Amino acid sequence: MKRLLLVAFSAISLSACAQAPDAQAPAAAQDGVPAAAVAASPNEPTPAAGTPEARALEAIRGLNPSIPVERIAESPMPGFREAIVGGQVVYVSDDGRYLFLPGSGGALYDAQDKRNLTESALAGMRRDLLAKIPQSERIVFAPPNPVHTVTVFTDVECGYCRKLHSEMAEYNRQGIAIEYLAFPRMGLGSEDYKKMVSVWCADDRRKAMTDAKDEKRIPQRDCTTTVNQQYDIGRRVGLTGTPMILAEDGTQMGGYVPPAELRQALDKRKAEQAPVAAAATPAG
């Protein structure tokens, strides 16, 4: 949750195909927060206690205490305050419970329960769409007894996709199974698309995927595949760049995420879901 807010408030892009894997690193961070987000604003508001402005500031601070709050004022939307947070507009309900971030794709957060309500709604839709793709149409790299399974929309030309694939052994060592789906980012009918069809038509799809990502020539093939369907579903689940990592419940975990960090995030999500699952189980 904190990571998602950090992305939203600080306009930090998830590592994806639009950015090369060896791009220049950001400025020095402090406790995992980018340096640009740590400095407090000299004009930070100090609203009177008990006011909607004070509740708005408390809600923002509760989700990310390091983000600079430039201003809190009346909003054109009744029942909300308008805040400038890290250079972005954020709307906070007057009771301080809900935050709406139009600059992050319209995300709505519950500050009390620390939940991204928009992501929760999208996760269910993604899970249903992914279920339409047969297991036989996924290219799977898995350890013997996986602890977690993620779906990764990938592209053979994407730099971050290649970086993720080069660390496959470590993802598997972390207990993570990766199920690849195709998303040729250059579009249907492109050379990129033809390579991915050739991968899905290969006798050994796993080897063909590895060879393609290693920029080795693979035999051009054509057959009946679900690559078009996978591409369409990728667009419908909100994919804006490859790779896109989705947890089993449909939650987006990010673009490229290092193996140990992904394992930690998946463990945390599983732990957070356990009480909810237990409460939903009938007694007796």
Side-chain angles (χ1 to χ4, degrees):
M1 177 66 187
K2 184 174 181 181
R3 185 174 182 217
L4 288 171
L5 281 166
L6 196 59
V7 171
F9 286 161
S10 305
I12 301 170
S13 298
L14 293 171
S15 300
C17 65
Q19 181 181 6
D22 56 354
Q24 184 176 356
Q30 178 179 345
D31 295 329
V33 179
V38 173
S41 167
N43 301 317
E44 185 162 293
T46 54
T51 62
E53 289 78 10
R55 287 190 286 270
L57 182 61
E58 183 180 357
I60 294 167
R61 284 278 172 263
L63 291 171
N64 194 325
S66 300
I67 285 292
V69 179
E70 303 291 341
R71 187 187 72 178
I72 300 176
E74 290 187 4
S75 163
M77 185 163 49
F80 283 77
R81 300 292 102 174
E82 182 180 87
I84 306 299
V85 181
Q88 297 190 39
V89 176
V90 178
Y91 295 98
V92 186
S93 61
D94 287 347
D95 62 3
R97 176 156 187 176
Y98 299 104
L99 290 86
F100 177 61
L101 287 75
S104 64
L108 179 66
Y109 293 89
D110 185 330
Q112 178 176 305
D113 292 343
K114 304 292 191 294
R115 290 179 57 216
N116 182 335
L117 300 177
T118 302
E119 178 63 23
S120 296
L122 288 172
M125 177 269 292
R126 294 186 190 118
R127 186 178 62 248
D128 292 343
L129 286 173
L130 292 176
K132 297 177 182 296
I133 302 173
Q135 187 65 28
S136 61
E137 284 297 299
R138 302 161 188 252
I139 299 180
V140 182
F141 291 80
N145 298 294
V147 179
H148 300 288
T149 299
V150 297
T151 298
V152 178
F153 280 94
T154 193
D155 175 82
V156 296
E157 300 288 350
C158 156
Y160 266 113
C161 297
R162 288 173 174 170
K163 180 172 176 59
L164 187 153
H165 193 75
S166 72
E167 298 172 352
M168 187 61 70
E170 182 59 20
Y171 284 106
N172 289 172
R173 195 187 72 78
Q174 291 284 344
I176 301 171
I178 289 182
E179 297 186 351
Y180 277 137
L181 295 180
F183 192 85
R185 61 193 178 96
M186 302 306 290
L188 300 181
S190 64
E191 288 302 313
D192 183 23
Y193 165 81
K194 293 175 183 176
K195 286 182 183 179
M196 299 205 75
V197 169
S198 294
V199 168
W200 256 259
C201 290
D203 293 332
D204 186 340
R205 291 176 175 174
R206 285 161 48 98
K207 183 179 185 302
M209 177 69 80
T210 298
D211 287 346
K213 286 180 181 287
D214 287 343
E215 299 186 76
K216 295 179 181 177
R217 184 183 177 279
I218 60 172
Q220 184 170 342
R221 297 190 177 190
D222 194 11
C223 65
T224 300
T225 72
T226 60
V227 169
N228 289 41
Q229 179 193 22
Q230 294 174 42
Y231 177 80
D232 177 63
I233 287 177
R235 296 178 65 183
R236 293 169 68 187
V237 301
L239 189 153
T240 57
T242 50
M244 180 189 199
I245 303 175
L246 299 174
E248 290 181 86
D249 67 348
T251 299
Q252 183 176 0
M253 304 306 296
Y256 164 76
V257 182
E261 185 178 335
L262 181 58
R263 172 60 192 265
Q264 183 179 21
L266 291 168
D267 284 348
K268 181 179 179 181
R269 177 145 194 83
K270 186 175 183 179
E272 290 172 346
Q273 290 178 319
V276 177
T281 302

